[in-house]
PDB file of all heavy atoms in Angstrom:
ATOM      1  N   LEU O  22     -46.571  -3.304  -8.002  1.00 92.00           N
ATOM      2  CA  LEU O  22     -47.901  -3.406  -8.601  1.00 92.00           C
ATOM      3  C   LEU O  22     -48.389  -4.853  -8.563  1.00 92.00           C
ATOM      4  O   LEU O  22     -49.548  -5.123  -8.319  1.00 92.00           O
ATOM      5  CB  LEU O  22     -47.863  -2.932 -10.056  1.00 92.00           C
ATOM      6  CG  LEU O  22     -47.910  -1.434 -10.294  1.00 92.00           C
ATOM      7  CD1 LEU O  22     -47.863  -1.137 -11.778  1.00 92.00           C
ATOM      8  CD2 LEU O  22     -49.172  -0.834  -9.688  1.00 92.00           C
ATOM      9  N   LYS O  23     -47.452  -5.739  -8.778  1.00 93.00           N
ATOM     10  CA  LYS O  23     -47.822  -7.146  -8.879  1.00 93.00           C
ATOM     11  C   LYS O  23     -48.021  -7.799  -7.509  1.00 93.00           C
ATOM     12  O   LYS O  23     -49.003  -8.503  -7.288  1.00 93.00           O
ATOM     13  CB  LYS O  23     -46.730  -7.896  -9.649  1.00 93.00           C
ATOM     14  CG  LYS O  23     -47.039  -9.361  -9.921  1.00 93.00           C
ATOM     15  CD  LYS O  23     -45.997  -9.955 -10.857  1.00 93.00           C
ATOM     16  CE  LYS O  23     -46.277 -11.435 -11.108  1.00 93.00           C
ATOM     17  NZ  LYS O  23     -45.276 -12.041 -12.016  1.00 93.00           N
ATOM     18  N   HIS O  24     -47.084  -7.548  -6.614  1.00 94.00           N
ATOM     19  CA  HIS O  24     -47.139  -8.251  -5.326  1.00 94.00           C
ATOM     20  C   HIS O  24     -47.546  -7.349  -4.168  1.00 94.00           C
ATOM     21  O   HIS O  24     -47.866  -7.841  -3.092  1.00 94.00           O
ATOM     22  CB  HIS O  24     -45.770  -8.861  -5.017  1.00 94.00           C
ATOM     23  CG  HIS O  24     -45.319  -9.868  -6.032  1.00 94.00           C
ATOM     24  ND1 HIS O  24     -45.855 -11.128  -6.125  1.00 94.00           N
ATOM     25  CD2 HIS O  24     -44.392  -9.784  -7.018  1.00 94.00           C
ATOM     26  CE1 HIS O  24     -45.257 -11.786  -7.115  1.00 94.00           C
ATOM     27  NE2 HIS O  24     -44.373 -10.994  -7.679  1.00 94.00           N
ATOM     28  N   GLY O  25     -47.465  -6.054  -4.380  1.00 92.00           N
ATOM     29  CA  GLY O  25     -47.802  -5.143  -3.296  1.00 92.00           C
ATOM     30  C   GLY O  25     -46.569  -4.710  -2.534  1.00 92.00           C
ATOM     31  O   GLY O  25     -45.587  -5.454  -2.444  1.00 92.00           O
ATOM     32  N   ALA O  26     -46.646  -3.508  -1.978  1.00 92.00           N
ATOM     33  CA  ALA O  26     -45.518  -2.990  -1.203  1.00 92.00           C
ATOM     34  C   ALA O  26     -45.383  -3.778   0.085  1.00 92.00           C
ATOM     35  O   ALA O  26     -46.368  -4.022   0.774  1.00 92.00           O
ATOM     36  CB  ALA O  26     -45.730  -1.505  -0.909  1.00 92.00           C
ATOM     37  N   GLY O  27     -44.189  -4.183   0.399  1.00 93.00           N
ATOM     38  CA  GLY O  27     -43.966  -4.955   1.612  1.00 93.00           C
ATOM     39  C   GLY O  27     -43.550  -6.381   1.311  1.00 93.00           C
ATOM     40  O   GLY O  27     -42.971  -7.058   2.139  1.00 93.00           O
ATOM     41  N   LYS O  28     -43.840  -6.786   0.092  1.00 94.00           N
ATOM     42  CA  LYS O  28     -43.455  -8.148  -0.301  1.00 94.00           C
ATOM     43  C   LYS O  28     -42.115  -8.107  -1.031  1.00 94.00           C
ATOM     44  O   LYS O  28     -41.982  -8.568  -2.163  1.00 94.00           O
ATOM     45  CB  LYS O  28     -44.527  -8.748  -1.222  1.00 94.00           C
ATOM     46  CG  LYS O  28     -45.901  -8.777  -0.607  1.00 94.00           C
ATOM     47  CD  LYS O  28     -45.951  -9.781   0.536  1.00 94.00           C
ATOM     48  CE  LYS O  28     -47.328  -9.766   1.198  1.00 94.00           C
ATOM     49  NZ  LYS O  28     -47.263 -10.329   2.565  1.00 94.00           N
ATOM     50  N   TRP O  29     -41.151  -7.508  -0.350  1.00 96.00           N
ATOM     51  CA  TRP O  29     -39.871  -7.245  -1.018  1.00 96.00           C
ATOM     52  C   TRP O  29     -39.165  -8.503  -1.446  1.00 96.00           C
ATOM     53  O   TRP O  29     -38.607  -8.585  -2.532  1.00 96.00           O
ATOM     54  CB  TRP O  29     -38.983  -6.413  -0.096  1.00 96.00           C
ATOM     55  CG  TRP O  29     -39.705  -5.228   0.444  1.00 96.00           C
ATOM     56  CD1 TRP O  29     -39.967  -4.942   1.742  1.00 96.00           C
ATOM     57  CD2 TRP O  29     -40.307  -4.164  -0.312  1.00 96.00           C
ATOM     58  NE1 TRP O  29     -40.678  -3.774   1.846  1.00 96.00           N
ATOM     59  CE2 TRP O  29     -40.905  -3.275   0.599  1.00 96.00           C
ATOM     60  CE3 TRP O  29     -40.410  -3.884  -1.673  1.00 96.00           C
ATOM     61  CZ2 TRP O  29     -41.578  -2.125   0.210  1.00 96.00           C
ATOM     62  CZ3 TRP O  29     -41.083  -2.742  -2.076  1.00 96.00           C
ATOM     63  CH2 TRP O  29     -41.650  -1.882  -1.133  1.00 96.00           C
ATOM     64  N   ARG O  30     -39.169  -9.485  -0.569  1.00 95.00           N
ATOM     65  CA  ARG O  30     -38.503 -10.747  -0.880  1.00 95.00           C
ATOM     66  C   ARG O  30     -39.185 -11.410  -2.083  1.00 95.00           C
ATOM     67  O   ARG O  30     -38.528 -11.947  -2.975  1.00 95.00           O
ATOM     68  CB  ARG O  30     -38.580 -11.647   0.357  1.00 95.00           C
ATOM     69  CG  ARG O  30     -37.776 -12.898   0.266  1.00 95.00           C
ATOM     70  CD  ARG O  30     -36.309 -12.605   0.417  1.00 95.00           C
ATOM     71  NE  ARG O  30     -35.538 -13.430  -0.488  1.00 95.00           N
ATOM     72  CZ  ARG O  30     -34.237 -13.605  -0.382  1.00 95.00           C
ATOM     73  NH1 ARG O  30     -33.555 -12.988   0.549  1.00 95.00           N
ATOM     74  NH2 ARG O  30     -33.598 -14.372  -1.229  1.00 95.00           N
ATOM     75  N   THR O  31     -40.494 -11.370  -2.071  1.00 96.00           N
ATOM     76  CA  THR O  31     -41.255 -11.981  -3.165  1.00 96.00           C
ATOM     77  C   THR O  31     -40.920 -11.310  -4.487  1.00 96.00           C
ATOM     78  O   THR O  31     -40.690 -11.980  -5.499  1.00 96.00           O
ATOM     79  CB  THR O  31     -42.764 -11.850  -2.891  1.00 96.00           C
ATOM     80  OG1 THR O  31     -43.025 -12.244  -1.549  1.00 96.00           O
ATOM     81  CG2 THR O  31     -43.555 -12.711  -3.841  1.00 96.00           C
ATOM     82  N   ILE O  32     -40.892  -9.990  -4.443  1.00 96.00           N
ATOM     83  CA  ILE O  32     -40.582  -9.241  -5.658  1.00 96.00           C
ATOM     84  C   ILE O  32     -39.177  -9.571  -6.132  1.00 96.00           C
ATOM     85  O   ILE O  32     -38.931  -9.799  -7.319  1.00 96.00           O
ATOM     86  CB  ILE O  32     -40.695  -7.724  -5.399  1.00 96.00           C
ATOM     87  CG1 ILE O  32     -42.133  -7.347  -5.043  1.00 96.00           C
ATOM     88  CG2 ILE O  32     -40.219  -6.929  -6.598  1.00 96.00           C
ATOM     89  CD1 ILE O  32     -42.294  -5.926  -4.561  1.00 96.00           C
ATOM     90  N   GLN O  33     -38.277  -9.612  -5.169  1.00 95.00           N
ATOM     91  CA  GLN O  33     -36.875  -9.822  -5.515  1.00 95.00           C
ATOM     92  C   GLN O  33     -36.661 -11.194  -6.139  1.00 95.00           C
ATOM     93  O   GLN O  33     -35.787 -11.373  -6.980  1.00 95.00           O
ATOM     94  CB  GLN O  33     -36.027  -9.666  -4.250  1.00 95.00           C
ATOM     95  CG  GLN O  33     -34.600  -9.224  -4.497  1.00 95.00           C
ATOM     96  CD  GLN O  33     -33.654 -10.399  -4.558  1.00 95.00           C
ATOM     97  OE1 GLN O  33     -33.919 -11.432  -3.954  1.00 95.00           O
ATOM     98  NE2 GLN O  33     -32.567 -10.236  -5.290  1.00 95.00           N
ATOM     99  N   LYS O  34     -37.481 -12.167  -5.715  1.00 94.00           N
ATOM    100  CA  LYS O  34     -37.289 -13.524  -6.226  1.00 94.00           C
ATOM    101  C   LYS O  34     -38.140 -13.824  -7.449  1.00 94.00           C
ATOM    102  O   LYS O  34     -37.940 -14.837  -8.112  1.00 94.00           O
ATOM    103  CB  LYS O  34     -37.605 -14.537  -5.122  1.00 94.00           C
ATOM    104  CG  LYS O  34     -36.504 -14.594  -4.074  1.00 94.00           C
ATOM    105  CD  LYS O  34     -36.510 -15.911  -3.322  1.00 94.00           C
ATOM    106  CE  LYS O  34     -37.847 -16.208  -2.651  1.00 94.00           C
ATOM    107  NZ  LYS O  34     -37.822 -17.473  -1.902  1.00 94.00           N
ATOM    108  N   ASP O  35     -39.076 -12.947  -7.714  1.00 94.00           N
ATOM    109  CA  ASP O  35     -39.949 -13.156  -8.872  1.00 94.00           C
ATOM    110  C   ASP O  35     -39.102 -13.223 -10.145  1.00 94.00           C
ATOM    111  O   ASP O  35     -38.334 -12.307 -10.434  1.00 94.00           O
ATOM    112  CB  ASP O  35     -40.934 -11.986  -8.966  1.00 94.00           C
ATOM    113  CG  ASP O  35     -41.995 -12.251 -10.034  1.00 94.00           C
ATOM    114  OD1 ASP O  35     -41.640 -12.712 -11.124  1.00 94.00           O
ATOM    115  OD2 ASP O  35     -43.179 -11.983  -9.759  1.00 94.00           O
ATOM    116  N   PRO O  36     -39.253 -14.332 -10.890  1.00 94.00           N
ATOM    117  CA  PRO O  36     -38.430 -14.494 -12.098  1.00 94.00           C
ATOM    118  C   PRO O  36     -38.602 -13.352 -13.091  1.00 94.00           C
ATOM    119  O   PRO O  36     -37.703 -13.102 -13.897  1.00 94.00           O
ATOM    120  CB  PRO O  36     -38.942 -15.815 -12.687  1.00 94.00           C
ATOM    121  CG  PRO O  36     -40.217 -16.109 -11.964  1.00 94.00           C
ATOM    122  CD  PRO O  36     -40.127 -15.469 -10.639  1.00 94.00           C
ATOM    123  N   GLU O  37     -39.725 -12.668 -12.963  1.00 94.00           N
ATOM    124  CA  GLU O  37     -39.957 -11.551 -13.876  1.00 94.00           C
ATOM    125  C   GLU O  37     -39.018 -10.374 -13.577  1.00 94.00           C
ATOM    126  O   GLU O  37     -38.654  -9.607 -14.457  1.00 94.00           O
ATOM    127  CB  GLU O  37     -41.414 -11.096 -13.755  1.00 94.00           C
ATOM    128  CG  GLU O  37     -41.804 -10.062 -14.809  1.00 94.00           C
ATOM    129  CD  GLU O  37     -43.248  -9.620 -14.642  1.00 94.00           C
ATOM    130  OE1 GLU O  37     -44.026 -10.337 -13.967  1.00 94.00           O
ATOM    131  OE2 GLU O  37     -43.603  -8.561 -15.190  1.00 94.00           O
ATOM    132  N   PHE O  38     -38.645 -10.256 -12.315  1.00 94.00           N
ATOM    133  CA  PHE O  38     -37.828  -9.095 -11.936  1.00 94.00           C
ATOM    134  C   PHE O  38     -36.413  -9.465 -11.468  1.00 94.00           C
ATOM    135  O   PHE O  38     -35.528  -8.616 -11.448  1.00 94.00           O
ATOM    136  CB  PHE O  38     -38.520  -8.313 -10.817  1.00 94.00           C
ATOM    137  CG  PHE O  38     -39.970  -8.048 -11.087  1.00 94.00           C
ATOM    138  CD1 PHE O  38     -40.945  -8.598 -10.274  1.00 94.00           C
ATOM    139  CD2 PHE O  38     -40.355  -7.264 -12.171  1.00 94.00           C
ATOM    140  CE1 PHE O  38     -42.287  -8.352 -10.518  1.00 94.00           C
ATOM    141  CE2 PHE O  38     -41.691  -7.017 -12.410  1.00 94.00           C
ATOM    142  CZ  PHE O  38     -42.661  -7.561 -11.585  1.00 94.00           C
ATOM    143  N   SER O  39     -36.239 -10.699 -11.064  1.00 93.00           N
ATOM    144  CA  SER O  39     -34.946 -11.098 -10.491  1.00 93.00           C
ATOM    145  C   SER O  39     -33.747 -10.834 -11.403  1.00 93.00           C
ATOM    146  O   SER O  39     -32.664 -10.527 -10.894  1.00 93.00           O
ATOM    147  CB  SER O  39     -34.990 -12.563 -10.066  1.00 93.00           C
ATOM    148  OG  SER O  39     -35.383 -13.380 -11.137  1.00 93.00           O
ATOM    149  N   PRO O  40     -33.901 -10.958 -12.733  1.00 93.00           N
ATOM    150  CA  PRO O  40     -32.745 -10.632 -13.562  1.00 93.00           C
ATOM    151  C   PRO O  40     -32.289  -9.196 -13.383  1.00 93.00           C
ATOM    152  O   PRO O  40     -31.091  -8.924 -13.301  1.00 93.00           O
ATOM    153  CB  PRO O  40     -33.265 -10.862 -14.983  1.00 93.00           C
ATOM    154  CG  PRO O  40     -34.444 -11.740 -14.847  1.00 93.00           C
ATOM    155  CD  PRO O  40     -35.056 -11.411 -13.533  1.00 93.00           C
ATOM    156  N   VAL O  41     -33.271  -8.311 -13.295  1.00 93.00           N
ATOM    157  CA  VAL O  41     -32.935  -6.884 -13.159  1.00 93.00           C
ATOM    158  C   VAL O  41     -32.500  -6.552 -11.739  1.00 93.00           C
ATOM    159  O   VAL O  41     -31.600  -5.744 -11.521  1.00 93.00           O
ATOM    160  CB  VAL O  41     -34.156  -6.016 -13.539  1.00 93.00           C
ATOM    161  CG1 VAL O  41     -33.757  -4.555 -13.601  1.00 93.00           C
ATOM    162  CG2 VAL O  41     -34.720  -6.471 -14.871  1.00 93.00           C
ATOM    163  N   LEU O  42     -33.155  -7.186 -10.790  1.00 94.00           N
ATOM    164  CA  LEU O  42     -32.906  -6.835  -9.392  1.00 94.00           C
ATOM    165  C   LEU O  42     -31.938  -7.790  -8.709  1.00 94.00           C
ATOM    166  O   LEU O  42     -31.911  -7.856  -7.476  1.00 94.00           O
ATOM    167  CB  LEU O  42     -34.239  -6.822  -8.632  1.00 94.00           C
ATOM    168  CG  LEU O  42     -35.272  -5.814  -9.140  1.00 94.00           C
ATOM    169  CD1 LEU O  42     -36.596  -5.992  -8.410  1.00 94.00           C
ATOM    170  CD2 LEU O  42     -34.782  -4.387  -8.992  1.00 94.00           C
ATOM    171  N   SER O  43     -31.157  -8.485  -9.485  1.00 92.00           N
ATOM    172  CA  SER O  43     -30.281  -9.515  -8.907  1.00 92.00           C
ATOM    173  C   SER O  43     -29.284  -8.928  -7.908  1.00 92.00           C
ATOM    174  O   SER O  43     -28.929  -9.566  -6.922  1.00 92.00           O
ATOM    175  CB  SER O  43     -29.528 -10.232 -10.016  1.00 92.00           C
ATOM    176  OG  SER O  43     -28.796  -9.278 -10.779  1.00 92.00           O
ATOM    177  N   SER O  44     -28.832  -7.729  -8.162  1.00 91.00           N
ATOM    178  CA  SER O  44     -27.827  -7.151  -7.268  1.00 91.00           C
ATOM    179  C   SER O  44     -28.454  -6.390  -6.111  1.00 91.00           C
ATOM    180  O   SER O  44     -27.761  -5.722  -5.352  1.00 91.00           O
ATOM    181  CB  SER O  44     -26.907  -6.221  -8.052  1.00 91.00           C
ATOM    182  OG  SER O  44     -27.643  -5.143  -8.579  1.00 91.00           O
ATOM    183  N   ARG O  45     -29.760  -6.504  -5.983  1.00 94.00           N
ATOM    184  CA  ARG O  45     -30.449  -5.777  -4.905  1.00 94.00           C
ATOM    185  C   ARG O  45     -31.036  -6.745  -3.899  1.00 94.00           C
ATOM    186  O   ARG O  45     -31.639  -7.743  -4.261  1.00 94.00           O
ATOM    187  CB  ARG O  45     -31.582  -4.917  -5.478  1.00 94.00           C
ATOM    188  CG  ARG O  45     -31.138  -3.929  -6.533  1.00 94.00           C
ATOM    189  CD  ARG O  45     -30.268  -2.855  -5.940  1.00 94.00           C
ATOM    190  NE  ARG O  45     -29.820  -1.888  -6.954  1.00 94.00           N
ATOM    191  CZ  ARG O  45     -29.024  -0.862  -6.681  1.00 94.00           C
ATOM    192  NH1 ARG O  45     -28.585  -0.668  -5.462  1.00 94.00           N
ATOM    193  NH2 ARG O  45     -28.645  -0.040  -7.647  1.00 94.00           N
ATOM    194  N   SER O  46     -30.893  -6.412  -2.644  1.00 94.00           N
ATOM    195  CA  SER O  46     -31.493  -7.246  -1.608  1.00 94.00           C
ATOM    196  C   SER O  46     -32.921  -6.783  -1.361  1.00 94.00           C
ATOM    197  O   SER O  46     -33.342  -5.725  -1.838  1.00 94.00           O
ATOM    198  CB  SER O  46     -30.692  -7.145  -0.314  1.00 94.00           C
ATOM    199  OG  SER O  46     -30.883  -5.875   0.265  1.00 94.00           O
ATOM    200  N   ASN O  47     -33.630  -7.594  -0.588  1.00 95.00           N
ATOM    201  CA  ASN O  47     -35.008  -7.217  -0.287  1.00 95.00           C
ATOM    202  C   ASN O  47     -35.063  -5.881   0.465  1.00 95.00           C
ATOM    203  O   ASN O  47     -35.958  -5.072   0.249  1.00 95.00           O
ATOM    204  CB  ASN O  47     -35.700  -8.322   0.517  1.00 95.00           C
ATOM    205  CG  ASN O  47     -34.880  -8.757   1.699  1.00 95.00           C
ATOM    206  OD1 ASN O  47     -33.655  -8.595   1.703  1.00 95.00           O
ATOM    207  ND2 ASN O  47     -35.524  -9.288   2.710  1.00 95.00           N
ATOM    208  N   ILE O  48     -34.089  -5.665   1.329  1.00 95.00           N
ATOM    209  CA  ILE O  48     -34.138  -4.377   2.045  1.00 95.00           C
ATOM    210  C   ILE O  48     -33.707  -3.217   1.159  1.00 95.00           C
ATOM    211  O   ILE O  48     -34.106  -2.083   1.385  1.00 95.00           O
ATOM    212  CB  ILE O  48     -33.334  -4.391   3.365  1.00 95.00           C
ATOM    213  CG1 ILE O  48     -31.918  -4.796   3.105  1.00 95.00           C
ATOM    214  CG2 ILE O  48     -33.973  -5.247   4.397  1.00 95.00           C
ATOM    215  CD1 ILE O  48     -31.090  -4.827   4.357  1.00 95.00           C
ATOM    216  N   ASP O  49     -32.897  -3.524   0.153  1.00 95.00           N
ATOM    217  CA  ASP O  49     -32.598  -2.480  -0.826  1.00 95.00           C
ATOM    218  C   ASP O  49     -33.900  -2.030  -1.497  1.00 95.00           C
ATOM    219  O   ASP O  49     -34.122  -0.831  -1.698  1.00 95.00           O
ATOM    220  CB  ASP O  49     -31.641  -2.992  -1.907  1.00 95.00           C
ATOM    221  CG  ASP O  49     -30.227  -3.156  -1.375  1.00 95.00           C
ATOM    222  OD1 ASP O  49     -29.901  -2.477  -0.381  1.00 95.00           O
ATOM    223  OD2 ASP O  49     -29.469  -3.947  -1.948  1.00 95.00           O
ATOM    224  N   LEU O  50     -34.717  -3.002  -1.827  1.00 95.00           N
ATOM    225  CA  LEU O  50     -35.997  -2.667  -2.464  1.00 95.00           C
ATOM    226  C   LEU O  50     -36.835  -1.801  -1.531  1.00 95.00           C
ATOM    227  O   LEU O  50     -37.403  -0.784  -1.930  1.00 95.00           O
ATOM    228  CB  LEU O  50     -36.786  -3.943  -2.805  1.00 95.00           C
ATOM    229  CG  LEU O  50     -36.121  -4.984  -3.688  1.00 95.00           C
ATOM    230  CD1 LEU O  50     -37.135  -6.015  -4.147  1.00 95.00           C
ATOM    231  CD2 LEU O  50     -35.468  -4.343  -4.893  1.00 95.00           C
ATOM    232  N   LYS O  51     -36.873  -2.235  -0.299  1.00 95.00           N
ATOM    233  CA  LYS O  51     -37.665  -1.490   0.686  1.00 95.00           C
ATOM    234  C   LYS O  51     -37.176  -0.047   0.811  1.00 95.00           C
ATOM    235  O   LYS O  51     -37.951   0.912   0.811  1.00 95.00           O
ATOM    236  CB  LYS O  51     -37.580  -2.207   2.035  1.00 95.00           C
ATOM    237  CG  LYS O  51     -38.374  -1.576   3.132  1.00 95.00           C
ATOM    238  CD  LYS O  51     -37.523  -0.772   4.084  1.00 95.00           C
ATOM    239  CE  LYS O  51     -36.480  -1.619   4.762  1.00 95.00           C
ATOM    240  NZ  LYS O  51     -35.599  -0.820   5.652  1.00 95.00           N
ATOM    241  N   ASP O  52     -35.855   0.088   0.922  1.00 94.00           N
ATOM    242  CA  ASP O  52     -35.282   1.435   1.078  1.00 94.00           C
ATOM    243  C   ASP O  52     -35.530   2.289  -0.154  1.00 94.00           C
ATOM    244  O   ASP O  52     -35.843   3.478  -0.054  1.00 94.00           O
ATOM    245  CB  ASP O  52     -33.775   1.340   1.346  1.00 94.00           C
ATOM    246  CG  ASP O  52     -33.472   0.908   2.772  1.00 94.00           C
ATOM    247  OD1 ASP O  52     -34.325   1.148   3.647  1.00 94.00           O
ATOM    248  OD2 ASP O  52     -32.413   0.319   3.000  1.00 94.00           O
ATOM    249  N   LYS O  53     -35.386   1.682  -1.294  1.00 94.00           N
ATOM    250  CA  LYS O  53     -35.591   2.442  -2.523  1.00 94.00           C
ATOM    251  C   LYS O  53     -37.050   2.900  -2.619  1.00 94.00           C
ATOM    252  O   LYS O  53     -37.334   4.035  -2.991  1.00 94.00           O
ATOM    253  CB  LYS O  53     -35.231   1.580  -3.734  1.00 94.00           C
ATOM    254  CG  LYS O  53     -35.411   2.288  -5.075  1.00 94.00           C
ATOM    255  CD  LYS O  53     -34.535   3.527  -5.165  1.00 94.00           C
ATOM    256  CE  LYS O  53     -34.772   4.272  -6.467  1.00 94.00           C
ATOM    257  NZ  LYS O  53     -33.975   5.516  -6.525  1.00 94.00           N
ATOM    258  N   TRP O  54     -37.923   2.008  -2.246  1.00 94.00           N
ATOM    259  CA  TRP O  54     -39.348   2.355  -2.290  1.00 94.00           C
ATOM    260  C   TRP O  54     -39.654   3.497  -1.328  1.00 94.00           C
ATOM    261  O   TRP O  54     -40.434   4.402  -1.614  1.00 94.00           O
ATOM    262  CB  TRP O  54     -40.195   1.133  -1.944  1.00 94.00           C
ATOM    263  CG  TRP O  54     -41.666   1.344  -2.156  1.00 94.00           C
ATOM    264  CD1 TRP O  54     -42.617   1.509  -1.197  1.00 94.00           C
ATOM    265  CD2 TRP O  54     -42.334   1.432  -3.408  1.00 94.00           C
ATOM    266  NE1 TRP O  54     -43.838   1.689  -1.775  1.00 94.00           N
ATOM    267  CE2 TRP O  54     -43.702   1.645  -3.139  1.00 94.00           C
ATOM    268  CE3 TRP O  54     -41.930   1.349  -4.744  1.00 94.00           C
ATOM    269  CZ2 TRP O  54     -44.660   1.773  -4.138  1.00 94.00           C
ATOM    270  CZ3 TRP O  54     -42.888   1.478  -5.746  1.00 94.00           C
ATOM    271  CH2 TRP O  54     -44.224   1.691  -5.430  1.00 94.00           C
ATOM    272  N   ARG O  55     -38.981   3.460  -0.198  1.00 91.00           N
ATOM    273  CA  ARG O  55     -39.167   4.532   0.772  1.00 91.00           C
ATOM    274  C   ARG O  55     -38.695   5.861   0.180  1.00 91.00           C
ATOM    275  O   ARG O  55     -39.361   6.889   0.308  1.00 91.00           O
ATOM    276  CB  ARG O  55     -38.393   4.209   2.050  1.00 91.00           C
ATOM    277  CG  ARG O  55     -38.485   5.321   3.093  1.00 91.00           C
ATOM    278  CD  ARG O  55     -37.979   4.886   4.442  1.00 91.00           C
ATOM    279  NE  ARG O  55     -36.602   4.412   4.418  1.00 91.00           N
ATOM    280  CZ  ARG O  55     -35.930   4.086   5.525  1.00 91.00           C
ATOM    281  NH1 ARG O  55     -36.517   4.141   6.704  1.00 91.00           N
ATOM    282  NH2 ARG O  55     -34.690   3.672   5.455  1.00 91.00           N
ATOM    283  N   ASN O  56     -37.558   5.822  -0.469  1.00 89.00           N
ATOM    284  CA  ASN O  56     -37.052   7.045  -1.095  1.00 89.00           C
ATOM    285  C   ASN O  56     -38.009   7.555  -2.159  1.00 89.00           C
ATOM    286  O   ASN O  56     -38.270   8.747  -2.255  1.00 89.00           O
ATOM    287  CB  ASN O  56     -35.679   6.790  -1.720  1.00 89.00           C
ATOM    288  CG  ASN O  56     -34.605   6.648  -0.675  1.00 89.00           C
ATOM    289  OD1 ASN O  56     -34.763   7.107   0.451  1.00 89.00           O
ATOM    290  ND2 ASN O  56     -33.513   6.013  -1.040  1.00 89.00           N
ATOM    291  N   LEU O  57     -38.508   6.632  -2.941  1.00 88.00           N
ATOM    292  CA  LEU O  57     -39.442   7.033  -3.996  1.00 88.00           C
ATOM    293  C   LEU O  57     -40.686   7.659  -3.378  1.00 88.00           C
ATOM    294  O   LEU O  57     -41.205   8.655  -3.870  1.00 88.00           O
ATOM    295  CB  LEU O  57     -39.835   5.827  -4.848  1.00 88.00           C
ATOM    296  CG  LEU O  57     -38.762   5.294  -5.792  1.00 88.00           C
ATOM    297  CD1 LEU O  57     -39.208   3.989  -6.424  1.00 88.00           C
ATOM    298  CD2 LEU O  57     -38.420   6.308  -6.856  1.00 88.00           C
ATOM    299  N   SER O  58     -41.146   7.052  -2.310  1.00 80.00           N
ATOM    300  CA  SER O  58     -42.348   7.567  -1.672  1.00 80.00           C
ATOM    301  C   SER O  58     -42.141   8.971  -1.161  1.00 80.00           C
ATOM    302  O   SER O  58     -42.999   9.830  -1.288  1.00 80.00           O
ATOM    303  CB  SER O  58     -42.747   6.665  -0.508  1.00 80.00           C
ATOM    304  OG  SER O  58     -42.937   5.354  -0.962  1.00 80.00           O
TER     305      SER O  58
END
Side-chain angles (χ1 to χ4, degrees):
Chain O
L22 279 180
K23 184 172 179 180
H24 299 286
K28 303 291 178 201
W29 310 119
R30 188 74 219 195
T31 313
I32 296 171
Q33 207 264 333
K34 286 203 303 181
D35 188 316
E37 188 181 342
F38 312 116
S39 55
V41 188
L42 299 174
S43 57
S44 63
R45 303 292 180 181
S46 71
N47 50 336
I48 56 180
D49 287 336
L50 303 192
K51 182 258 300 177
D52 284 334
K53 180 60 183 177
W54 188 253
R55 177 168 57 174
N56 287 339
L57 287 172
S58 303

